[in-house]
């Protein structure tokens, strides 16, 4: 007997949702809060997160969600949102975030409400994976607010609050770059994009207006991107590159220095080769390391200023520490009182699962360098403080 199962059904059970989310059952509520906060922060800096352990509220001061789009947006059977396939140094990576949120609500028997443009709606999930909205009442609040509970599961908003805390410094203000795609990933964009070649070209850094028109002349007027062959999409990618320049890592944004931390940064570029095509991707990145005094050794990883679902491990023996995991294996002469935060700013972070577990091996030398620099600053300051104390005591 043969059974067939659609991919979206994995989002409605906690046992299989963990595979799509990349975290354990106990961390699902923490991830839900983070995903909603990340989405809000990608829209605006004007974000508030409130949680009492049982109910979560995430508000953003954006323009709201059109009423006729809410049900589709909060359905677990919808495809990946095509805008998430556009590579940018923002928090969203796969477009699975809202499906994880809705799936967690379904799996725990919780409730989900959306407040948008002054109206409140209840999201009711259907057996076929779609959702329906039930109008509840007029609610005098601007922007968008998501309210949810997860049955008997308590909600931890620590990742969400960290995302808000680190949402500082500079942001990337440009468009996606043609150099951030290899032949395969660009072809996937053309097949997911619902529009003409000209429309797609206009999405790229340095290719608006007359430039977009010049490139589009390579194809018939109003030619649909989904009609491009793999070879034609490669030609299009090459032409877009001819009319634009690579984006420097310093444009990607940064957290910057934070009070009472020891800061360093290192920029670089790595290459993602094409498997069957001719064009490789050139991915810029900026590594930031912030070290603060702590009661114990700890390392946290941020991806574009938001907590990653997995962080490297840290192990110390005498005066030498080792950070390992996620493609890293770094040794340094530190101490057991350092809180180390690593932030990776990049439009492309290689991942090893649907759950967005990052693979940092392409950047390990730069991460090593940034850690060593920040550790030296930390130790120099502590040595100076210790010597001053000894002098004052004597």
């Amino acid at each position: 007997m043969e059974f067939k199962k659609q991919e979206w059904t994995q989002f409605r059970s906690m046992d299989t949702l963990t595979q799509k989310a990349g975290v354990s059952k106990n961390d699902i509520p923490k991830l839900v809060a983070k995903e909603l906060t990340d989405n809000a922060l990608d829209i605006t800096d004007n974000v508030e997160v409130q949680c009492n352990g049982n109910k979560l509220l995430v508000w953003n001061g954006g323009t709201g969600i059109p009423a006729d789009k809410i049900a589709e947006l909060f359905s677990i059977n919808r495809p990946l949102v095509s805008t998430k396939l556009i590579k940018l140094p923002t928090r969203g990576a796969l477009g699975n975030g809202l499906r994880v949120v809705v799936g967690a609500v379904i799996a725990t028997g919780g409730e989900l409400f959306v407040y948008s443009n002054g109206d409140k709606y209840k999201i009711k999930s259907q057996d076929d994976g779609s959702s329906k909205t039930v109008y509840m009442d007029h609610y005098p609040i601007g922007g968008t607010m998501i309210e949810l509970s997860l049955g008997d599961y308590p909600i931890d908003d620590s990742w969400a609050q960290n995302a808000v805390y680190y949402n500082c410094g500079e942001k990337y203000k440009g468009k996606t770059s043609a150099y951030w795609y290899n032949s395969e990933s660009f072809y996937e964009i053309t097949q997911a994009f619902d529009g003409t070649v000209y429309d797609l070209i206009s999405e790229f850094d340095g290719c608006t207006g007359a430039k977009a028109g010049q490139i589009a002349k390579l194809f018939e007027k109003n030619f649909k991107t989904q009609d491009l062959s793999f070879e034609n999409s490669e030609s299009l990618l090459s032409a877009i590159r001819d009319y634009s320049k690579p984006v420097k890592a310093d444009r990607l944004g940064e957290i910057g220095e934070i009070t009472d931390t020891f800061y360093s940064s290192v920029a670089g570029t790595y290459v993602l080769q094409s498997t069957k095509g001719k064009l490789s991707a050139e991915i810029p990145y900026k590594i930031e390391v912030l070290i603060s005094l702590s009661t114990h050794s700890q390392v946290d990883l941020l991806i574009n200023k938001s907590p990653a679902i997995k962080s490297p491990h840290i192990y110390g023996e005498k005066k030498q520490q080792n950070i390992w995991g996620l493609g890293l294996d770094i040794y340094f002469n530190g101490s057991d009182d350092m809180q180390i935060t690593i932030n990776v700013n990049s439009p492309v972070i290689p991942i090893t699962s649907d759950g967005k577990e990052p693979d940092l091996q392409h950047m390990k030398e730069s991460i090593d360098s940034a850690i060593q620099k920040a550790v030296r600053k930390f130790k120099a300051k502590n040595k100076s403080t210790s010597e001053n104390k000894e002098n004052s005591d004597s």
Side-chain angles (χ1 to χ4, degrees), residues 51-106:
C51 182
N52 63 7
N54 298 311
K55 182 169 69 174
L56 173 72
L57 298 173
V58 179
W59 173 84
N60 76 74
T63 57
I65 306 171
D68 61 346
K69 299 294 184 181
I70 294 175
E72 179 184 4
L73 193 59
F74 289 87
S75 296
I76 59 173
N77 71 350
R78 68 176 177 83
L80 294 181
V81 181
S82 61
T83 55
K84 287 298 183 184
L85 295 174
I86 294 289
K87 302 182 187 302
L88 288 167
T90 53
R91 294 167 180 79
L94 286 182
N96 266 348
L98 281 184
R99 294 209 291 172
V100 170
V101 170
V102 177
V105 172
I106 296 171

Side-chain angles (χ1 to χ4, degrees), residues 337-350:
D337 57 354
M338 294 190 304
Q339 161 70 50
I340 301 175
T341 301
I342 304 169
N343 179 47
V344 180
N345 291 295
S346 182
V348 182
I349 306 294

Side-chain angles (χ1 to χ4, degrees), residues 179-195:
Y179 294 89
W180 298 348
Y181 302 82
N182 60 17
S183 298
E184 288 85 354
S185 59
F186 185 75
Y187 178 66
E188 293 304 321
I189 286 290
T190 66
Q191 300 308 294
F193 187 77
D194 185 16

Side-chain angles (χ1 to χ4, degrees), residues 52 64 84 102 113 115 118 134 151 163 173 218 246 261 307 313 352 361 370:
N52 63 7
K84 287 298 183 184
V102 177
F113 300 91
Y115 301 73
V134 177
K173 299 179 176 64
L218 296 172
T261 65
H313 303 283
T352 58
Q361 62 176 321

